[in-house]
């Protein structure tokens, strides 16, 4: 979270006044909430249930009279209450994330909200103590970033090149990807250095196969060939709250040159946010990749694979083990090379098990060439990817970034088309939130 000092100047006298409303323990007094701020959630065209909802509120907008205590909470971050005015006894815990000129309020919509209906919440200081947020970031012995929810591991983001004794080639190790990732049952749903085939497939990863940068043609997918490699550079901000945990990471894409040092041709930022949705049998996170060429544009010629990808573990490998479904109702064979809003790939949690787990990945409507064609391996390899350059070339320039947004649902069991459709609608067209100010 950003610290108090950095935000103080953005709130000026308002922050000073709000500090006077705080008790000696730092808790906001209930009588400090004189101006009432109400947030109305409009379900829009779709039924909603346990949906992540958020709104960004400017902290210094002319003509706005924000409650004094909001500036205090915005300055330090933390939880606030949202009282459901249709059910006044219910107060939802919301997360406040501060930014220099705004605050983001994030919460999970409790229960169902049918299409065409609205629900209004009153923002207020919490009058009760809540439990600490469920998330914790840690560091593995190798230095990787690990996220847990309580005592349960969620996933590891690899900040250093991962090696394997069966693959001694110096080209095989890579960083900047997510593995292992865990289903709610604790089953590992990602694969890495597969003993079966394609050991360069690495959990949740993003790479392009056919590329052109000037006179170079690096392959960032088939890293064993040695023409290109994606490297972790550094971590950006990381924070946790009662609703989500998030972090940023920066990557550099290096092209190898004959008789010369590698050259960085692309820089990428990942923004990852994981949501806590109590009572649901899945885990949900958003991954936004922002890519920009360093000088010469990076061109992606049309090709059948390369993009945001998911590789399942070796327990998914046996013939006939995979259960794959796309948003168009197609299996792994019929769905290969076809546009899809989402793809869900599952398999046995262990060799011979009848218990299944896996992950669905959702393609956002703002992504280039949405719905993006998906490469789903048509035989037995447990992998798929969204391919923005499947049918026509893509150019990633140096003047402005290319942004690709994905949502990932990790779950136990087989694909659930109804659940996936609902989660995709929440991602593609989230509920609208409006603000009303009620003076004292």
């Amino acid at each position: 979270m950003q610290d108090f000092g950095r935000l103080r100047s953005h709130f000026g006298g308002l922050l000073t006044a709000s500090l006077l409303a705080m008790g000696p323990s730092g808790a906001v007094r209930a009588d400090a909430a004189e101006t009432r701020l109400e947030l109305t959630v409009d379900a829009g065209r779709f039924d909603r249930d346990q949906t992540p909802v958020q709104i960004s509120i400017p902290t210094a907008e002319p003509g706005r009279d924000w409650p004094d205590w909001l500036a205090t909470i915005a300055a330090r971050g933390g939880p606030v209450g949202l009282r459901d005015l249709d059910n006044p006894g219910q107060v939802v815990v919301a997360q406040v994330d501060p930014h220099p000129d705004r605050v983001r309020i994030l919460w999970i919509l409790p229960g169902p909200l049918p299409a065409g209906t609205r629900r209004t919440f009153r923002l207020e200081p919490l009058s009760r103590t809540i439990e600490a947020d469920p998330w914790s970031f840690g560091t593995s012995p190798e230095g990787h970033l690990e996220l847990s929810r309580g005592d349960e591991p969620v996933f590891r983001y690899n900040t250093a090149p991962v090696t394997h004794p069966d693959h001694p080639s110096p080209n095989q190790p890579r960083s900047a990807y997510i593995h292992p990732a865990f289903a709610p049952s604790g089953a590992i749903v990602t694969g890495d250095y597969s003993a079966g085939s394609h050991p360069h497939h690495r959990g949740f990863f993003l790479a392009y196969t056919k590329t052109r940068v000037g006179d170079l043609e690096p392959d960032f997918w088939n890293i064993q060939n040695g023409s290109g490699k994606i490297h972790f550079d550094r971590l950006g901000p990381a924070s946790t709250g009662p609703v989500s945990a998030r972090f940023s990471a920066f990557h550099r894409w290096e092209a190898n040159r004959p008789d010369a040092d590698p050259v960085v041709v692309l820089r990428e930022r990942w923004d990852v946010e994981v949501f806590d949705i109590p009572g649901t049998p899945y885990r949900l996170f958003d991954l936004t990749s922002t890519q920009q060429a360093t000088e010469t544009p990076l061109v992606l010629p049309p090709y059948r694979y390369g993009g945001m990808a998911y590789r399942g573990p070796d327990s998914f490998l046996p013939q006939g083990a995979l259960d794959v479904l796309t948003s168009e109702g197609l299996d792994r064979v019929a769905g290969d090379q076809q546009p899809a809003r989402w793809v869900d790939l599952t398999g046995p949690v262990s060799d011979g098990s009848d218990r299944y787990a896996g992950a669905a990945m959702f393609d956002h409507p703002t992504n280039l060439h949405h719905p993006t064609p998906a490469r789903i391996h048509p035989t037995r390899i447990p992998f798929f990817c969204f391919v923005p350059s499947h049918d026509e070339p893509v150019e990633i320039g140096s003047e402005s970034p290319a942004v690709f947004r994905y949502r990932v649902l990790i779950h136990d069991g087989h694909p659930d088309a109804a659940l996936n459709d609902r989660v995709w609608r929440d991602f593609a067209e989230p509920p609208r939130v409006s603000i009303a100010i009620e003076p004292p």
Side-chain angles (χ1 to χ4, degrees):
M1 292 291 186
Q2 301 183 41
D3 61 32
F4 174 89
R6 292 178 59 191
L7 283 157
R8 183 183 180 96
S9 61
H10 293 284
F11 295 99
L14 181 61
L15 180 61
T16 303
S18 65
L19 287 172
L20 298 177
M22 295 176 63
S25 65
V28 180
R29 297 200 315 261
D31 60 0
E34 297 177 351
T35 299
R36 294 180 300 177
L37 188 151
E38 294 179 355
L39 304 178
T40 298
V41 181
D42 186 338
R45 300 186 298 151
F46 305 119
D47 293 339
R48 313 291 183 173
D49 192 9
Q50 297 290 84
T51 303
V53 179
Q54 61 181 298
I55 185 172
S56 291
I57 303 177
T59 51
E61 184 176 344
R64 292 286 195 185
D65 182 18
W66 305 118
D68 289 353
W69 56 267
L70 177 58
T72 304
I73 294 173
R76 70 186 183 207
V80 295
L82 291 177
R83 186 173 297 279
D84 187 342
L85 297 188
D86 293 327
N87 182 15
Q90 181 178 47
V91 177
V92 180
V93 176
Q95 178 173 318
V96 176
D97 296 318
H99 299 270
D101 58 353
R102 62 187 174 89
V103 293
R104 184 187 72 152
I105 301 175
L106 170 70
W107 73 102
I108 304 300
L109 189 66
L113 182 65
T117 65
R118 299 179 178 182
R119 186 177 300 169
T120 298
F121 299 86
R122 178 173 296 153
L123 192 66
E124 60 185 41
L126 283 170
S127 58
R128 58 185 175 86
T129 301
I130 67 165
E131 295 180 1
D133 69 69
W135 309 105
S136 61
F137 282 112
T139 304
S140 74
E142 302 81 12
H144 306 302
L145 183 69
E146 296 185 329
L147 176 65
S148 298
R149 183 190 181 278
D151 296 329
E152 301 173 349
V154 176
F155 61 61
R156 183 180 74 196
Y157 168 79
N158 293 291
T159 60
V162 177
T163 61
H164 193 284
D166 293 342
H167 298 274
S169 167
N171 295 330
Q172 280 287 15
R174 69 158 290 183
S175 56
Y177 66 102
I178 291 173
H179 169 80
F182 300 86
S185 66
I188 295 178
V189 299
T190 51
D192 196 8
Y193 280 109
S194 173
S197 183
H198 295 56
H200 51 284
H201 289 176
R202 321 301 290 269
F204 293 106
F205 69 105
L206 195 157
Y208 299 126
T209 312
K210 295 288 187 181
T211 75
R212 186 173 64 252
V213 186
D215 59 354
L216 299 173
E217 295 184 350
D219 181 348
F220 295 99
W221 185 284
N222 297 288
I223 54 177
Q224 68 275 13
N225 296 337
S227 63
K229 182 74 70 72
I230 301 164
H231 300 271
F232 166 78
D233 247 354
R234 60 185 174 89
L235 287 173
S239 62
T240 64
V243 180
S244 77
R246 53 185 176 151
F247 73 94
S248 298
F250 295 84
H251 308 161
R252 68 183 188 278
W253 295 45
E254 290 185 352
N256 291 324
R257 300 178 293 176
D259 304 319
D261 291 335
V263 58
V264 178
V265 297
L266 188 81
R267 294 199 179 273
E268 179 188 26
R269 172 175 171 151
W270 276 16
D271 293 295
V272 180
E273 182 163 30
V274 189
F275 301 99
D276 184 45
I277 308 181
T280 55
Y282 56 82
R283 290 190 170 135
L284 198 67
F285 71 87
D286 288 351
L287 191 158
T288 300
S289 170
T290 303
Q291 306 164 19
Q292 193 161 358
T294 54
E295 293 182 9
T296 306
L298 185 144
V299 178
L300 310 177
Y303 197 63
R304 70 181 185 277
Y305 67 93
M308 187 67 219
Y310 166 47
R311 170 67 190 232
D314 282 1
S315 61
F316 291 10
L317 277 170
Q319 192 70 36
L322 282 174
D323 186 3
V324 181
L325 182 67
T326 79
S327 58
E328 311 314 300
L330 303 176
D331 64 13
R332 60 180 176 80
V333 176
D336 181 35
Q337 317 287 323
Q338 299 301 312
R341 293 173 288 115
W342 53 260
V343 178
D344 195 339
L345 183 148
T346 68
V349 299
S350 60
D351 292 344
S353 175
D354 60 358
R355 291 176 49 231
Y356 269 57
M361 188 182 297
F362 303 83
D363 186 52
H364 196 270
T366 59
N367 289 346
L368 198 60
H369 303 149
H370 173 86
T372 308
R375 167 60 172 171
I376 309 170
H377 202 278
T379 58
R380 58 194 281 280
I381 298 174
F383 121 90
F384 69 85
C385 65
F386 285 113
V387 192
S389 61
H390 187 276
D391 298 321
E392 54 187 293
V394 170
E395 181 175 294
I396 302 173
S398 60
E399 297 299 320
S400 59
V403 179
F404 297 92
R405 296 178 59 193
Y406 303 96
R407 176 164 284 181
V408 175
L409 183 150
I410 299 177
H411 63 91
D412 291 291
H414 293 266
D416 183 334
L419 171 63
N420 290 345
D421 281 340
R422 176 173 65 79
V423 171
W424 183 82
R425 291 192 295 264
D426 288 346
F427 184 46
E429 190 176 319
R432 297 182 296 273
V433 183
S434 59
I435 307 173
I437 304 296
E438 298 291 337

